[in-house]
PDB file of all heavy atoms in Angstrom:
ATOM      1  N   LEU A 890     117.501 108.193  77.074  1.00 91.00           N
ATOM      2  CA  LEU A 890     117.335 107.099  77.998  1.00 91.00           C
ATOM      3  C   LEU A 890     116.901 107.601  79.410  1.00 91.00           C
ATOM      4  O   LEU A 890     116.032 106.998  80.055  1.00 91.00           O
ATOM      5  CB  LEU A 890     118.631 106.305  78.113  1.00 91.00           C
ATOM      6  CG  LEU A 890     119.034 105.473  76.906  1.00 91.00           C
ATOM      7  CD1 LEU A 890     120.395 104.773  77.166  1.00 91.00           C
ATOM      8  CD2 LEU A 890     117.971 104.417  76.603  1.00 91.00           C
ATOM      9  N   ALA A 891     117.456 108.699  79.817  1.00 90.00           N
ATOM     10  CA  ALA A 891     117.090 109.285  81.103  1.00 90.00           C
ATOM     11  C   ALA A 891     115.646 109.804  81.089  1.00 90.00           C
ATOM     12  O   ALA A 891     114.875 109.610  82.058  1.00 90.00           O
ATOM     13  CB  ALA A 891     118.038 110.387  81.524  1.00 90.00           C
ATOM     14  N   ALA A 894     113.346 106.882  81.414  1.00 91.00           N
ATOM     15  CA  ALA A 894     113.333 106.348  82.739  1.00 91.00           C
ATOM     16  C   ALA A 894     112.503 107.188  83.709  1.00 91.00           C
ATOM     17  O   ALA A 894     111.835 106.695  84.553  1.00 91.00           O
ATOM     18  CB  ALA A 894     114.816 106.192  83.267  1.00 91.00           C
ATOM     19  N   PRO A 902     114.897 100.476  91.646  1.00 91.00           N
ATOM     20  CA  PRO A 902     115.933 101.368  92.091  1.00 91.00           C
ATOM     21  C   PRO A 902     117.272 101.092  91.397  1.00 91.00           C
ATOM     22  O   PRO A 902     117.671  99.958  91.244  1.00 91.00           O
ATOM     23  CB  PRO A 902     116.064 101.044  93.581  1.00 91.00           C
ATOM     24  CG  PRO A 902     114.675 100.501  93.957  1.00 91.00           C
ATOM     25  CD  PRO A 902     114.204  99.780  92.736  1.00 91.00           C
ATOM     26  N   ARG A 903     117.923 102.159  90.997  1.00 90.00           N
ATOM     27  CA  ARG A 903     119.241 102.024  90.404  1.00 90.00           C
ATOM     28  C   ARG A 903     119.903 103.449  90.335  1.00 90.00           C
ATOM     29  O   ARG A 903     119.208 104.441  90.437  1.00 90.00           O
ATOM     30  CB  ARG A 903     119.175 101.408  88.991  1.00 90.00           C
ATOM     31  CG  ARG A 903     118.616 102.313  87.902  1.00 90.00           C
ATOM     32  CD  ARG A 903     118.643 101.586  86.550  1.00 90.00           C
ATOM     33  NE  ARG A 903     118.412 102.429  85.422  1.00 90.00           N
ATOM     34  CZ  ARG A 903     117.184 102.667  84.900  1.00 90.00           C
ATOM     35  NH1 ARG A 903     116.163 102.111  85.440  1.00 90.00           N
ATOM     36  NH2 ARG A 903     117.052 103.442  83.825  1.00 90.00           N
ATOM     37  N   ALA A 904     121.185 103.472  90.122  1.00 91.00           N
ATOM     38  CA  ALA A 904     121.951 104.681  89.905  1.00 91.00           C
ATOM     39  C   ALA A 904     122.727 104.471  88.631  1.00 91.00           C
ATOM     40  O   ALA A 904     123.468 103.487  88.464  1.00 91.00           O
ATOM     41  CB  ALA A 904     122.880 104.989  91.076  1.00 91.00           C
ATOM     42  N   GLN A 905     122.577 105.399  87.692  1.00 90.00           N
ATOM     43  CA  GLN A 905     123.235 105.284  86.380  1.00 90.00           C
ATOM     44  C   GLN A 905     123.829 106.642  86.030  1.00 90.00           C
ATOM     45  O   GLN A 905     123.161 107.651  85.956  1.00 90.00           O
ATOM     46  CB  GLN A 905     122.266 104.829  85.315  1.00 90.00           C
ATOM     47  CG  GLN A 905     122.884 104.614  83.968  1.00 90.00           C
ATOM     48  CD  GLN A 905     121.883 104.052  82.933  1.00 90.00           C
ATOM     49  OE1 GLN A 905     120.751 103.705  83.308  1.00 90.00           O
ATOM     50  NE2 GLN A 905     122.290 103.963  81.693  1.00 90.00           N
ATOM     51  N   ALA A 906     125.158 106.636  85.769  1.00 89.00           N
ATOM     52  CA  ALA A 906     125.856 107.851  85.423  1.00 89.00           C
ATOM     53  C   ALA A 906     125.781 108.086  83.915  1.00 89.00           C
ATOM     54  O   ALA A 906     125.988 107.124  83.122  1.00 89.00           O
ATOM     55  CB  ALA A 906     127.288 107.808  85.901  1.00 89.00           C
ATOM     56  N   PHE A 907     125.558 109.318  83.494  1.00 89.00           N
ATOM     57  CA  PHE A 907     125.622 109.721  82.090  1.00 89.00           C
ATOM     58  C   PHE A 907     126.721 110.811  81.947  1.00 89.00           C
ATOM     59  O   PHE A 907     127.310 111.249  82.942  1.00 89.00           O
ATOM     60  CB  PHE A 907     124.266 110.345  81.659  1.00 89.00           C
ATOM     61  CG  PHE A 907     123.178 109.328  81.519  1.00 89.00           C
ATOM     62  CD1 PHE A 907     122.471 108.882  82.626  1.00 89.00           C
ATOM     63  CD2 PHE A 907     122.867 108.818  80.277  1.00 89.00           C
ATOM     64  CE1 PHE A 907     121.461 107.974  82.515  1.00 89.00           C
ATOM     65  CE2 PHE A 907     121.832 107.871  80.142  1.00 89.00           C
ATOM     66  CZ  PHE A 907     121.119 107.470  81.248  1.00 89.00           C
ATOM     67  N   ALA A 908     127.000 111.144  80.725  1.00 85.00           N
ATOM     68  CA  ALA A 908     128.061 112.116  80.496  1.00 85.00           C
ATOM     69  C   ALA A 908     127.765 113.457  81.176  1.00 85.00           C
ATOM     70  O   ALA A 908     128.678 114.157  81.608  1.00 85.00           O
ATOM     71  CB  ALA A 908     128.297 112.279  79.018  1.00 85.00           C
ATOM     72  N   GLY A 910     125.193 113.954  83.610  1.00 89.00           N
ATOM     73  CA  GLY A 910     124.408 113.940  84.805  1.00 89.00           C
ATOM     74  C   GLY A 910     124.260 112.522  85.388  1.00 89.00           C
ATOM     75  O   GLY A 910     124.908 111.584  84.941  1.00 89.00           O
ATOM     76  N   LEU A 911     123.427 112.413  86.409  1.00 91.00           N
ATOM     77  CA  LEU A 911     123.255 111.167  87.136  1.00 91.00           C
ATOM     78  C   LEU A 911     121.752 110.885  87.217  1.00 91.00           C
ATOM     79  O   LEU A 911     120.944 111.734  87.623  1.00 91.00           O
ATOM     80  CB  LEU A 911     123.828 111.259  88.546  1.00 91.00           C
ATOM     81  CG  LEU A 911     123.541 110.098  89.497  1.00 91.00           C
ATOM     82  CD1 LEU A 911     124.293 108.834  89.045  1.00 91.00           C
ATOM     83  CD2 LEU A 911     123.883 110.420  90.930  1.00 91.00           C
ATOM     84  N   LEU A 912     121.363 109.663  86.828  1.00 93.00           N
ATOM     85  CA  LEU A 912     119.989 109.185  86.985  1.00 93.00           C
ATOM     86  C   LEU A 912     119.935 108.333  88.232  1.00 93.00           C
ATOM     87  O   LEU A 912     120.687 107.375  88.357  1.00 93.00           O
ATOM     88  CB  LEU A 912     119.587 108.368  85.738  1.00 93.00           C
ATOM     89  CG  LEU A 912     118.177 107.708  85.816  1.00 93.00           C
ATOM     90  CD1 LEU A 912     117.104 108.755  85.875  1.00 93.00           C
ATOM     91  CD2 LEU A 912     117.961 106.754  84.714  1.00 93.00           C
ATOM     92  N   LEU A 913     119.057 108.755  89.175  1.00 93.00           N
ATOM     93  CA  LEU A 913     118.924 108.026  90.439  1.00 93.00           C
ATOM     94  C   LEU A 913     117.443 107.719  90.633  1.00 93.00           C
ATOM     95  O   LEU A 913     116.615 108.610  90.751  1.00 93.00           O
ATOM     96  CB  LEU A 913     119.459 108.874  91.566  1.00 93.00           C
ATOM     97  CG  LEU A 913     119.484 108.252  92.971  1.00 93.00           C
ATOM     98  CD1 LEU A 913     120.387 107.008  93.014  1.00 93.00           C
ATOM     99  CD2 LEU A 913     119.945 109.299  94.002  1.00 93.00           C
ATOM    100  N   ILE A 914     117.148 106.394  90.695  1.00 93.00           N
ATOM    101  CA  ILE A 914     115.768 105.948  90.895  1.00 93.00           C
ATOM    102  C   ILE A 914     115.683 105.308  92.263  1.00 93.00           C
ATOM    103  O   ILE A 914     116.406 104.354  92.550  1.00 93.00           O
ATOM    104  CB  ILE A 914     115.317 104.995  89.770  1.00 93.00           C
ATOM    105  CG1 ILE A 914     115.342 105.712  88.447  1.00 93.00           C
ATOM    106  CG2 ILE A 914     113.933 104.484  90.060  1.00 93.00           C
ATOM    107  CD1 ILE A 914     114.954 104.859  87.256  1.00 93.00           C
ATOM    108  N   LEU A 934     115.073 110.684  89.905  1.00 93.00           N
ATOM    109  CA  LEU A 934     115.782 111.946  90.010  1.00 93.00           C
ATOM    110  C   LEU A 934     116.809 112.023  88.873  1.00 93.00           C
ATOM    111  O   LEU A 934     117.467 111.056  88.542  1.00 93.00           O
ATOM    112  CB  LEU A 934     116.543 112.120  91.331  1.00 93.00           C
ATOM    113  CG  LEU A 934     115.664 112.146  92.624  1.00 93.00           C
ATOM    114  CD1 LEU A 934     115.613 110.790  93.298  1.00 93.00           C
ATOM    115  CD2 LEU A 934     116.224 113.224  93.561  1.00 93.00           C
ATOM    116  N   TRP A 935     116.936 113.243  88.323  1.00 93.00           N
ATOM    117  CA  TRP A 935     117.968 113.566  87.367  1.00 93.00           C
ATOM    118  C   TRP A 935     118.779 114.695  87.995  1.00 93.00           C
ATOM    119  O   TRP A 935     118.249 115.761  88.294  1.00 93.00           O
ATOM    120  CB  TRP A 935     117.432 113.956  86.020  1.00 93.00           C
ATOM    121  CG  TRP A 935     118.467 114.493  85.082  1.00 93.00           C
ATOM    122  CD1 TRP A 935     118.661 115.787  84.727  1.00 93.00           C
ATOM    123  CD2 TRP A 935     119.444 113.754  84.401  1.00 93.00           C
ATOM    124  NE1 TRP A 935     119.709 115.914  83.883  1.00 93.00           N
ATOM    125  CE2 TRP A 935     120.229 114.680  83.629  1.00 93.00           C
ATOM    126  CE3 TRP A 935     119.773 112.391  84.313  1.00 93.00           C
ATOM    127  CZ2 TRP A 935     121.311 114.263  82.825  1.00 93.00           C
ATOM    128  CZ3 TRP A 935     120.849 111.995  83.533  1.00 93.00           C
ATOM    129  CH2 TRP A 935     121.571 112.885  82.809  1.00 93.00           C
ATOM    130  N   ILE A 936     120.092 114.464  88.210  1.00 92.00           N
ATOM    131  CA  ILE A 936     120.951 115.461  88.800  1.00 92.00           C
ATOM    132  C   ILE A 936     122.033 115.839  87.842  1.00 92.00           C
ATOM    133  O   ILE A 936     122.828 114.978  87.416  1.00 92.00           O
ATOM    134  CB  ILE A 936     121.565 114.929  90.126  1.00 92.00           C
ATOM    135  CG1 ILE A 936     120.481 114.377  91.051  1.00 92.00           C
ATOM    136  CG2 ILE A 936     122.392 115.986  90.812  1.00 92.00           C
ATOM    137  CD1 ILE A 936     120.987 113.621  92.228  1.00 92.00           C
ATOM    138  N   ALA A1033     121.879 100.760  94.651  1.00 90.00           N
ATOM    139  CA  ALA A1033     121.861 102.110  94.056  1.00 90.00           C
ATOM    140  C   ALA A1033     122.624 103.076  94.948  1.00 90.00           C
ATOM    141  O   ALA A1033     123.403 103.883  94.491  1.00 90.00           O
ATOM    142  CB  ALA A1033     120.472 102.567  93.825  1.00 90.00           C
ATOM    143  N   ARG A1036     126.291 102.509  94.744  1.00 90.00           N
ATOM    144  CA  ARG A1036     126.890 102.975  93.476  1.00 90.00           C
ATOM    145  C   ARG A1036     127.324 104.453  93.635  1.00 90.00           C
ATOM    146  O   ARG A1036     128.319 104.867  93.027  1.00 90.00           O
ATOM    147  CB  ARG A1036     125.812 102.878  92.363  1.00 90.00           C
ATOM    148  CG  ARG A1036     126.348 103.312  90.993  1.00 90.00           C
ATOM    149  CD  ARG A1036     127.312 102.274  90.410  1.00 90.00           C
ATOM    150  NE  ARG A1036     127.772 102.669  89.085  1.00 90.00           N
ATOM    151  CZ  ARG A1036     127.154 102.356  87.973  1.00 90.00           C
ATOM    152  NH1 ARG A1036     126.041 101.631  87.995  1.00 90.00           N
ATOM    153  NH2 ARG A1036     127.586 102.746  86.807  1.00 90.00           N
ATOM    154  N   LEU A1037     126.635 105.198  94.471  1.00 88.00           N
ATOM    155  CA  LEU A1037     127.012 106.583  94.711  1.00 88.00           C
ATOM    156  C   LEU A1037     128.378 106.665  95.408  1.00 88.00           C
ATOM    157  O   LEU A1037     129.083 107.673  95.218  1.00 88.00           O
ATOM    158  CB  LEU A1037     125.969 107.288  95.587  1.00 88.00           C
ATOM    159  CG  LEU A1037     124.600 107.539  94.974  1.00 88.00           C
ATOM    160  CD1 LEU A1037     123.682 108.213  95.984  1.00 88.00           C
ATOM    161  CD2 LEU A1037     124.702 108.460  93.726  1.00 88.00           C
ATOM    162  N   GLU A1040     131.260 105.215  92.601  1.00 84.00           N
ATOM    163  CA  GLU A1040     131.582 106.281  91.615  1.00 84.00           C
ATOM    164  C   GLU A1040     130.947 107.572  92.060  1.00 84.00           C
ATOM    165  O   GLU A1040     129.943 108.039  91.500  1.00 84.00           O
ATOM    166  CB  GLU A1040     131.047 105.832  90.233  1.00 84.00           C
ATOM    167  CG  GLU A1040     131.606 104.497  89.712  1.00 84.00           C
ATOM    168  CD  GLU A1040     130.996 104.060  88.419  1.00 84.00           C
ATOM    169  OE1 GLU A1040     130.180 104.853  87.876  1.00 84.00           O
ATOM    170  OE2 GLU A1040     131.353 103.011  87.924  1.00 84.00           O
TER     171      GLU A1040
END
Side-chain angles (χ1 to χ4, degrees):
L890 290 177
R903 73 177 192 271
Q905 183 176 353
F907 289 81
L911 172 70
L912 175 67
L913 184 61
I914 299 179
L934 297 100
W935 171 256
I936 306 171
R1036 182 73 179 271
L1037 292 177
E1040 300 176 3

